[in-house]
Amino acid sequence: MDLDKDPLGLSAEQMRDLGYRTVDMLVEQLCDPSAPALRRAAPGELRARLGGEAPRGPRSWDELMAQMRDDVLAHISRLAHPAYFAFIPACSTFPGALGDLITAAMDIDASLWMSAAGPSQVELTVIEWFKDWIGYPAEAAGVLVSGGSAANLTALACAREALLGPMTDRVVAYASDQSHSSVARASRVMGFRPDQVRVLPTDASHRIRLDALVGAIDADLKAGLQPLVVAANAGATNTGAVDPLPELAEICHGRGMWLHVDGAYGGFAALTDRGRNSLAGIELADSVTLDPHKWLYQPIECGCVLVRDGRLLSQAFTIDPDYLADRLSEEVNFSDLGLQLTRSSHALKVWLSMSYFGVDAFAAAIDRSLDLALLAEQHVRETPALELLSPATLGIICFRRRWQGVSDEDSIAALNAELVSSFEHTGRGLVSSTRLHGKYAIRMCVMNHTTGPGDVTATLDWFAQAPAPTREPSPRAPRYEDHRADIDSGFGQATPFDVPTLRDVPLFASLGARELEVVQSSARELEVAAGEVVIHRWEGTRNFYVILDGSVEIQLEDQQVSLGAGQFFGELAALDWGAGFGYVRTATVAARTDVRLLVLAPAILDELVRSAPEVERVIRAAVRERLPSV
């Protein structure tokens, strides 16, 4: 190599020198015990430090590493912090990071066997490991991708191609309210309209309701639709819950449907005896998502999709353009198994770190996390100031602080949210929050192989002993968009409700002039005769109803509830679960008397909830009260 003529070339000595100095800086960062779990930074501050034009000439490596240390790496989440319990930690191993270094330094393109035979074989080997761990057959196939989101999209696209072909407006997909947001995003990208995804309620253990699934499928078949795929959880992000996989497989395969299992969070628990028992039935799924950059302790990014009938994966994605005529291989071209052509190798880090430590070491780390989560559950149960909302399941528990004399859910949520924020500011660790059946919950995810018992109990003790917050939660900035979404065809005519009529509705009494204007111009009137059904249970309609005159009866299996003028129903299905999708109807509603209804499209209700705090409070309270009984 003629370095005098190569403007981007480095000598062997220069490369070694830069490498040594970089690794020294990284080891110093990784071993710094004073680094907080999260350090935020204001956008303006970082723009001032890191913005500006690209330099026309070179800068010294020492100067760059100093800026990297002080201005870049100083403002990140330390996912390997022993008290990082927020979201889903990613506590990778250093051999895995070196695998990424090798991949980047060698600039590997693992799309074709001819260009990367060695890395391709490593990926095949890793895929075989994964298949064996979850009990998949020899004919299964898979591909490594960037993460769980890409894996879910790949799997759902394969399902559609295998069972349907081109997208139509007749197909329907099903997911639970505990499914990951990437399922909603993948559905939207694939062209599923808001009325083509059914979000189903979960039971007290946050597992998909089988009766709801069967009821929704039957309702869609009766309506002439084609049920296509069910997206199940093997370790839900909120709680670690695992859906009843054997029963789901029986339902899906008995109806010619595809069962996809999102095991991005919990799938690798299969390396342990407890995990295998929890994940029983995952081997029956048509496709499975796994995330090595979660519980297999690999550096971000690394995901995986496996398909039980491996031929379907290549049939879904193989395209043969003329410019790739030379790529033919007797083995595999991974570009034929997914969305990407040019692709990095995610396999080297997995193979290198698994081979260096051995499978037993990873299984021991997972088992240790499961034990620590059980310790956390026990500690919460034994601490009077804390309330357990979801027991330890695959490393996740949910809890919150109790407050003497405080029983209002909104107040409990606000106080606990302030505690979560205050804990972050201490620098001692990080937790995150969620909602479970409408209740605010502090979520603790124990995954790090660096975490010890003291990190768990110290975090819980802080929440139990911290003084009550004194400042009010910051109000959310108003957000409102003027939607003019049409009500389902056949649902009455536009009626210009006057402002006094709307003001008489308790739900709308607090609305400002702008919100009232949108309701006034968007609402429709519907008159229903006594005895007629307004909503059938498990169907996919999503409008929201306010009773102006008369009364209706909400019918469940073992109870009936009457609602009268000023009350509302249909809020659960109308609310946006994600990407415009919403719940199926969870009850049948019939008119007890002649009834006059104000009807809003789901987009309008969603925006009212976002922009009007009092409307949100009332709607969320109704969801908390009604959802557990559906």
Side-chain angles (χ1 to χ4, degrees):
M1 178 172 61
D2 188 348
L3 294 178
D4 292 335
K5 296 182 179 180
D6 183 357
L8 302 178
L10 294 174
S11 68
E13 292 74 16
Q14 288 174 307
M15 286 189 281
R16 288 192 184 92
D17 179 56
L18 296 184
Y20 290 149
R21 283 190 276 170
T22 303
V23 170
D24 285 343
M25 184 274 293
L26 287 172
V27 172
E28 178 184 343
Q29 291 287 307
L30 292 170
C31 297
D32 180 6
S34 66
L38 172 65
R39 182 179 287 133
R40 298 178 189 261
E45 175 189 358
L46 290 188
R47 276 196 300 270
R49 294 188 184 190
L50 297 167
E53 297 181 355
R56 301 296 303 180
R59 296 172 61 189
S60 75
W61 196 253
D62 286 339
E63 179 187 356
L64 291 171
M65 287 298 97
Q67 188 172 25
M68 179 69 72
R69 180 191 64 234
D70 298 336
D71 296 340
V72 179
L73 299 182
H75 305 290
I76 63 172
S77 295
R78 297 292 183 131
L79 301 183
H81 190 287
Y84 189 105
F85 301 119
F87 311 113
I88 297 181
C91 187
S92 65
T93 63
F94 197 66
L98 295 178
D100 264 350
L101 173 62
I102 294 169
T103 300
M106 297 305 295
D107 206 14
I108 295 172
D109 176 8
S111 59
L112 306 177
W113 181 272
M114 66 176 291
S115 62
S120 293
Q121 181 55 58
V122 169
E123 187 161 345
L124 287 172
T125 299
V126 167
I127 293 294
E128 287 298 317
W129 293 348
F130 293 175
K131 287 163 49 179
D132 179 59
W133 295 344
I134 70 166
Y136 253 18
E139 62 268 20
V143 61
L144 297 184
V145 295
S146 59
S149 295
N152 283 335
L153 175 58
T154 304
L156 294 179
C158 182
R160 189 192 67 189
E161 289 300 307
L163 299 184
L164 178 69
M167 188 66 183
T168 75
D169 58 5
R170 292 184 57 252
V171 297
V172 185
Y174 306 82
S176 86
D177 59 15
Q178 298 300 301
S179 293
H180 192 265
S181 60
S182 62
V183 173
R185 185 176 294 111
S187 299
R188 180 165 63 183
V189 168
M190 291 171 58
F192 283 86
R193 298 191 319 250
D195 60 346
Q196 289 181 267
V197 174
R198 307 284 184 253
V199 180
L200 304 170
T202 48
D203 61 20
S205 298
H206 309 288
R207 309 196 317 161
I208 192 170
R209 290 259 305 270
L210 296 177
D211 63 325
L213 175 61
V214 172
I217 291 173
D218 289 345
D220 286 329
L221 288 171
K222 185 177 179 180
L225 302 175
Q226 180 181 346
L228 181 71
V229 59
V230 173
N233 290 316
T237 302
N238 267 346
T239 63
V242 179
D243 287 329
L245 302 180
E247 293 85 351
L248 289 174
E250 182 178 0
I251 291 171
C252 289
H253 298 156
R255 291 164 171 77
M257 298 171 63
W258 185 284
L259 175 61
H260 172 63
V261 173
D262 182 357
Y265 172 70
F268 284 113
L271 287 174
T272 71
D273 291 338
R274 283 178 289 181
R276 266 191 304 278
N277 290 334
S278 297
L279 299 171
I282 194 172
E283 72 282 357
L284 303 174
D286 296 288
S287 56
V288 175
T289 284
L290 300 170
D291 248 8
H293 68 211
K294 292 188 175 71
W295 230 343
L296 206 60
Y297 303 111
Q298 299 304 311
I300 296 170
E301 301 170 346
C302 190
C304 177
V305 59
L306 300 177
V307 175
R308 202 170 195 281
D309 183 349
R311 298 170 305 139
L312 300 178
L313 195 57
S314 60
Q315 289 173 12
F317 292 102
T318 299
I319 296 176
D320 295 314
D322 291 339
Y323 51 78
L324 292 179
D326 299 325
R327 70 176 177 162
L328 298 178
S329 167
E330 69 282 2
E331 191 52 67
V332 66
N333 292 314
F334 280 105
S335 59
D336 292 338
L337 303 183
L339 301 170
Q340 288 182 270
L341 181 53
T342 302
R343 59 190 293 275
S344 180
S345 174
H346 298 297
L348 296 192
K349 56 188 171 190
V350 180
W351 179 82
L352 197 60
S353 58
M354 295 297 299
S355 300
Y356 180 80
F357 288 109
V359 176
D360 289 347
F362 285 87
I366 296 170
D367 254 330
R368 188 164 179 263
S369 297
L370 297 174
D371 288 338
L372 290 175
L374 289 171
L375 170 66
E377 177 188 338
Q378 179 183 358
H379 199 74
V380 170
R381 290 186 185 277
E382 295 173 352
T383 304
L386 300 179
E387 176 187 5
L388 185 70
L389 295 183
S390 179
T393 307
L394 290 184
I396 297 176
I397 74 157
C398 293
F399 69 99
R400 64 183 180 180
R401 173 79 172 269
R402 290 190 174 109
W403 305 95
Q404 187 173 2
V406 180
S407 58
D408 174 67
E409 177 61 33
D410 293 328
S411 299
I412 293 172
L415 289 167
N416 277 277
E418 287 300 304
L419 283 187
V420 170
S421 177
S422 298
F423 183 64
E424 176 193 325
H425 292 310
T426 68
R428 298 171 56 172
L430 199 70
V431 296
S432 55
S433 66
T434 188
R435 286 190 179 271
L436 301 178
H437 290 159
K439 292 184 177 181
Y440 183 95
I442 300 172
R443 180 181 165 282
M444 191 176 196
C445 180
V446 187
M447 283 188 69
N448 285 353
H449 55 79
T450 63
T451 300
D455 301 304
V456 171
T457 56
T459 296
L460 293 172
D461 287 342
W462 186 94
F463 278 93
Q465 299 166 10
T470 56
R471 65 186 180 91
E472 290 295 322
S474 301
R476 296 178 306 167
R479 178 182 180 275
Y480 204 89
E481 297 176 12
D482 188 0
H483 289 285
R484 295 292 188 269
D486 290 333
I487 301 299
D488 294 344
S489 60
F491 265 68
Q493 301 297 318
T495 300
F497 293 102
D498 56 32
V499 170
T501 298
L502 296 178
R503 287 287 187 202
D504 284 342
V505 176
L507 183 65
F508 301 146
S510 65
L511 293 183
R514 174 64 178 141
E515 288 84 359
L516 278 174
E517 178 188 349
V518 174
V519 173
Q520 186 179 20
S521 60
S522 303
R524 302 292 188 269
E525 185 179 67
L526 178 66
E527 294 184 355
V528 182
E532 289 187 9
V533 173
V534 183
I535 291 173
H536 290 276
R537 194 180 195 194
W538 307 133
E539 70 182 6
T541 60
R542 294 190 55 208
N543 290 317
F544 173 73
Y545 302 87
V546 177
I547 305 170
L548 299 177
D549 298 301
S551 63
V552 301
E553 188 170 74
I554 299 176
Q555 303 168 357
L556 297 168
E557 293 103 333
D558 55 355
Q559 61 178 308
Q560 295 180 342
V561 178
S562 296
L563 300 178
Q567 295 181 289
F568 56 84
F569 60 93
E571 73 288 340
L572 189 60
L575 288 175
D576 185 359
W577 173 77
F581 305 121
Y583 278 87
V584 295
R585 297 299 189 183
T586 56
T588 294
V589 180
R592 293 181 71 242
T593 67
D594 291 348
V595 64
R596 187 166 68 98
L597 301 170
L598 181 152
V599 189
L600 287 178
I604 302 300
L605 180 67
D606 185 56
E607 290 303 331
L608 287 178
V609 167
R610 292 170 186 257
S611 64
E614 182 61 20
V615 171
E616 179 184 32
R617 186 191 68 78
V618 174
I619 293 291
R620 297 298 180 192
V623 169
R624 285 194 300 272
E625 179 183 350
R626 298 171 182 178
L627 183 57
S629 64
V630 301

